[in-house]
Amino acid sequence: MLKSMTAYAKSEKSQEKFAVLIEIRSYNSRYLDIALRIPHGYLAVSRGRIEVNLHVRDNSGEAYAFEIDTPKARAYYDSLVQLKDKLNLNSKISIDLLVSGGGIIKPAEVGFDMEARWLDNLIAMRKKEGDFLETDISARLDGIKESVDQIQKESKDLLSHYQQRLKERIAALTKGIIEIDPDRIAQEAAFLADRSDISEEIVRASSHIEQFRTIMNSEEPAGRKLNFLMQELNREFNTMGSKTDNTHVSHIIVAVKADLEKIREQLQNVE
């Protein structure tokens, strides 16, 4: 799930003598950058460092939870029983005595529902914009994957392709007067085919596309990872373009790189 970094939300609270309006705007940024602006008349300082701390008190029933360290409680109880037997004590081992050992009952970590603690409108807008971005990027990825499949199809049988092309060139240059050793033609064709082989780049590009989809559909912020994958995809298609001498494949690669650039621009707006 993608979230856009651009959104807007506001909240207003009115009392008898004044009203407070809070607006939050989020923009594209490489890092987390929070700017706090207060009306000049309410900022009664002119110099020095100012720290603003936000404290949230959760009054819901789920805000507090505790957990029992059962192994520790059992071991502590066994020790108390042994101590009672050694000293011939008749007193009971109460729950108060058991708990006094410390660390047996301790606070449990409570997961925070950040959406319930923040402005719903801002989050909703970021998700809505993110959905638009995801739809556009997914469509472009579909087209890129189809292009990769087409490139793979066009790049098959390189050896026979270069053998035939060498024979045609030699025949055109010598006008059939000189007969070239077939083994030499096969050797040269194999060299050209190996130099132009883009099978590894095709496999990596396909893998990057699948990884891109996985990251895009995860719940974690994806912008940085997807930008990195864009760089890797660009590198693979640049290598393909430099290796191939197939005109049709070159045209496909140019079109793919145009789509990659559009995706890269869209990712600048992704959290």
Side-chain angles (χ1 to χ4, degrees):
M1 178 181 64
L2 300 186
K3 288 184 181 178
S4 171
M5 286 190 287
T6 57
Y8 171 81
K10 71 176 181 179
S11 180
E12 187 171 2
K13 180 70 175 179
S14 299
Q15 292 186 355
E16 184 178 349
K17 293 185 178 180
F18 61 90
V20 176
L21 173 65
I22 297 177
E23 294 180 302
I24 298 179
R25 291 181 173 88
S26 61
Y27 306 95
N28 299 350
S29 179
R30 186 174 181 182
Y31 305 103
L32 178 61
D33 184 9
I34 300 175
L36 178 65
R37 292 185 174 88
I38 300 175
H40 179 70
Y42 291 89
L43 190 60
V45 295
S46 60
R47 186 177 179 184
R49 175 186 173 91
I50 298 175
E51 291 186 357
V52 179
N53 296 317
L54 174 66
H55 298 277
V56 178
R57 184 176 63 190
D58 191 339
N59 294 322
S60 65
E62 297 81 16
Y64 303 99
F66 295 88
E67 60 185 7
I68 300 173
D69 190 337
T70 303
K72 186 173 183 179
R74 192 178 303 279
Y76 191 64
Y77 176 81
D78 291 342
S79 297
L80 290 174
V81 170
Q82 292 177 21
L83 180 62
K84 190 179 74 168
D85 292 342
K86 287 182 179 180
L87 299 180
N88 296 318
L89 300 176
N90 295 322
S91 59
K92 295 182 178 180
I93 300 175
S94 66
I95 188 67
D96 292 337
L97 182 61
L98 187 61
V99 172
S100 66
I104 292 176
I105 298 179
K106 54 187 178 181
E109 293 187 4
V110 179
F112 292 102
D113 182 5
M114 292 307 298
E115 294 190 10
R117 292 166 169 78
W118 203 237
L119 293 178
D120 293 339
N121 291 340
L122 186 75
I123 295 173
M125 183 176 288
R126 286 165 68 98
K127 285 184 176 179
K128 184 177 180 180
E129 293 294 329
D131 289 341
F132 288 139
L133 293 172
E134 185 171 349
T135 299
D136 179 76
I137 292 174
S138 293
R140 296 187 187 278
L141 282 178
D142 290 340
I144 292 173
K145 184 60 175 67
E146 290 178 4
S147 295
V148 171
D149 294 340
Q150 185 64 27
I151 290 172
Q152 185 175 30
K153 182 179 179 181
E154 295 278 347
S155 301
K156 288 182 178 179
D157 299 325
L158 285 177
L159 183 59
S160 60
H161 165 73
Y162 280 112
Q163 285 180 336
Q164 183 61 32
R165 198 175 72 170
L166 281 173
K167 290 177 181 178
E168 291 174 356
R169 285 186 177 180
I170 293 171
L173 289 173
T174 63
K175 297 182 180 181
I177 299 175
I178 301 176
E179 184 177 351
I180 303 297
D181 183 3
D183 291 338
R184 181 61 183 275
I185 291 179
Q187 184 180 5
E188 292 295 327
F191 171 76
L192 292 172
D194 181 65
R195 192 174 63 178
S196 302
D197 182 27
I198 56 175
S199 57
E200 291 184 7
E201 288 77 11
I202 290 173
V203 171
R204 285 195 294 267
S206 298
S207 175
H208 292 332
I209 292 172
E210 292 306 312
Q211 190 177 4
F212 195 104
R213 293 187 187 279
T214 301
I215 295 173
M216 189 169 60
N217 294 328
S218 69
E219 294 296 325
E220 300 297 324
R224 292 186 179 180
K225 293 180 180 179
L226 295 182
N227 269 299
F228 173 76
L229 278 178
M230 273 296 98
Q231 296 176 19
E232 294 300 306
L233 276 169
N234 263 308
R235 183 176 294 111
E236 301 302 341
F237 283 103
N238 283 335
T239 305
M240 291 184 206
S242 65
K243 282 186 174 183
T244 187
D245 65 349
N246 185 312
T247 304
H248 188 208
V249 169
S250 296
H251 290 163
I252 295 174
I253 292 173
V254 170
V256 167
K257 291 175 68 175
D259 266 338
L260 289 177
E261 177 59 23
K262 291 175 182 177
I263 294 177
R264 188 194 67 79
E265 292 174 357
Q266 295 282 42
L267 289 178
Q268 304 312 306
N269 198 35
V270 173
E271 180 184 11

